[in-house]
Amino acid sequence: MVHTKFFIKTMGCQMNEYDSDFLAGSLIDLGLSPVDVPEAADVLLINTCTVRAKPEQKAYSLLGRFSEIKNRKSDVILGVVGCLAQQKSAELLKRFPGIDFVLGPRDLSGIRGVIQELQSAIRKRKKIVATELENSIPAPKTAFTRSNGGVTAFVSIMEGCNNFCSYCIVPYVRGREVSRSPDDIILEVRNLIACGVKEITLLGQNVNSYCWAEARETSDFVSLLAKLDEIEGLRRVRFTTSHPKDLSGELIECFGTLNKLCPHIHLPFQAGSNEVLKRMKRRYTREKYMDHVARLREVVPDIAITSDVMVGFPGESEQDFESTLDLIRSVQFDGLFSFKYSDRKGTVSNEMPDKIGESEKSRRLKILQSLQKQITLIKNKAIEGRTVEVLVEGQSKKGGQLTGRTGSNKTVNFISDKEVIGEIVNVYIERGFLNSLRGRQLLRM
């Protein structure tokens, strides 16, 4: 059988989306073509996440579905990559015998060799497992074909995490922090610009701690941002995710001095109680987080701040939960990614006593999300009657409209000509909704 078509299902975070784009580009360069449905593919890939229980369970469910396809089409190559592959490779192979290969996050650059090897050995049912966390970040993605097009793109600047928060599995499945060289990053950005990209989002488990040192060359995150700000053709720069303990005054000042850095920061706070933050090993206090918010708004009064928050951490009292709600009311976030705590085997919190029941976690999450929805809607409606700059990304899911985002990362849908895709246009906001804004493009002079 000639393996000519592939399908990739991505689960989890933006880092996984970036990795999937790299995988797709690698397979395209190998001569394979992407398809929209798994049933039509000769190579099936699942890019997994294991940060929380829900995406892990979804991965198992999807593996069951893909295994059924493999049973019907025995020559299909089935692979699992990403964090779940790193953490549970042996268990996955035992539970799903149809899996042909398992690759951890640090082994993705070997995908082409893996597929070529399996194409020649598929009848022997050879299994390939590569989960070496000691590997460096895969080679620069610049040599590979872009698979998704578009005017925005992700660029990974570092991999891994050294923080070891008590609930987090990331250091165990993505390894310790390793940064890419600034030259490699800039080369990738320039290549993306040549492909039509206007906005990049820098990715890392903790971008604030980016640090490159080789011979006499050193570079930190602030200096990297400054270099990117000078690149011709690049219109916007974003980054995620930031750890509050590493948010320096110099980085905060960048929002006021760099022309291309968007007025938006994603700054996870996780909990509003100092006692909970201490048990989480977050290494900052509620007061320090609020100080960061105040300093950010001194530099850019209208800066959009989004965050991550968890409910139901072991031992979280009702008073602790109320402290989290109080912080949300005080900060007035533009948006929140909120979720229930779930045990992750191998982490410190997995062994903690005083676990919160599922029904209570659900109750707290519902209250928190309801509060944030009110805040988000009020903030979006406050933009009604204002003119904003929108980078037009393409056709909206709402028929007959275009869609794009403001510098503050708010989605805007509006009617215009297709010729403006990839441009930054002025849009007058007529209505603000919970998840988006609606407006009309102002005529260009």
Side-chain angles (χ1 to χ4, degrees), residues 263-329:
H264 166 235
I265 186 171
H266 188 74
L267 190 65
F269 76 97
Q270 302 298 3
S273 160
N274 282 336
E275 286 300 315
V276 174
L277 289 172
K278 183 177 180 179
R279 292 199 301 275
M280 287 180 169
K281 296 187 176 180
R282 290 292 286 172
R283 304 180 198 173
Y284 57 85
T285 63
R286 171 196 178 98
E287 291 74 22
K288 185 63 176 177
Y289 187 91
M290 296 297 292
D291 180 61
H292 284 328
V293 170
R295 293 177 69 188
L296 284 163
R297 286 177 172 159
E298 283 179 10
V299 175
V300 183
D302 291 332
I303 192 170
I305 303 176
T306 56
S307 190
D308 294 342
V309 58
M310 180 190 305
V311 300
F313 188 78
E316 181 188 69
S317 66
E318 188 66 27
Q319 183 176 351
D320 292 329
F321 175 60
E322 287 297 330
S323 294
T324 294
L325 296 180
D326 181 68
L327 188 147
I328 293 171
R329 295 188 190 98

Side-chain angles (χ1 to χ4, degrees), residues 240-386:
T240 192
T241 285
S242 296
H243 196 299
K245 77 176 181 64
D246 298 316
L247 184 63
S248 66
E250 292 79 10
L251 180 53
I252 290 174
E253 288 299 322
C254 285
F255 286 98
T257 58
L258 299 183
N259 295 323
K260 297 174 183 179
L261 185 59
C262 290
H264 166 235
I265 186 171
H266 188 74
L267 190 65
F269 76 97
Q270 302 298 3
S273 160
N274 282 336
E275 286 300 315
V276 174
L277 289 172
K278 183 177 180 179
R279 292 199 301 275
M280 287 180 169
K281 296 187 176 180
R282 290 292 286 172
R283 304 180 198 173
Y284 57 85
T285 63
R286 171 196 178 98
E287 291 74 22
K288 185 63 176 177
Y289 187 91
M290 296 297 292
D291 180 61
H292 284 328
V293 170
R295 293 177 69 188
L296 284 163
R297 286 177 172 159
E298 283 179 10
V299 175
V300 183
D302 291 332
I303 192 170
I305 303 176
T306 56
S307 190
D308 294 342
V309 58
M310 180 190 305
V311 300
F313 188 78
E316 181 188 69
S317 66
E318 188 66 27
Q319 183 176 351
D320 292 329
F321 175 60
E322 287 297 330
S323 294
T324 294
L325 296 180
D326 181 68
L327 188 147
I328 293 171
R329 295 188 190 98
S330 299
V331 174
Q332 296 284 297
F333 292 100
D334 288 74
L336 283 178
F337 292 97
S338 53
F339 49 92
K340 296 181 285 187
Y341 167 83
S342 59
D343 281 331
R344 301 284 81 198
K345 187 176 181 180
T347 63
V348 173
S349 66
N350 187 62
E351 306 300 325
M352 287 182 176
D354 302 323
K355 297 292 172 60
I356 308 300
E358 193 64 29
S359 61
E360 177 61 18
K361 287 192 290 188
S362 296
R363 183 189 73 86
R364 293 180 184 181
L365 184 63
K366 184 177 180 180
I367 292 172
L368 185 152
Q369 290 179 337
S370 177
L371 171 61
Q372 182 56 47
K373 285 179 180 178
Q374 295 174 34
I375 295 171
T376 299
L377 182 58
I378 290 172
K379 279 183 163 284
N380 287 351
K381 291 192 76 65
I383 305 175
E384 293 177 353
R386 292 171 53 186

Side-chain angles (χ1 to χ4, degrees), residues 83-110:
C83 294
L84 186 62
Q86 179 71 44
Q87 184 186 23
K88 299 186 176 181
S89 57
E91 180 182 324
L92 289 173
L93 291 171
K94 183 178 180 180
R95 183 170 175 178
F96 301 97
I99 293 175
D100 294 296
F101 71 92
V102 175
L103 296 181
R106 297 277 178 99
D107 291 277
L108 299 185
S109 59

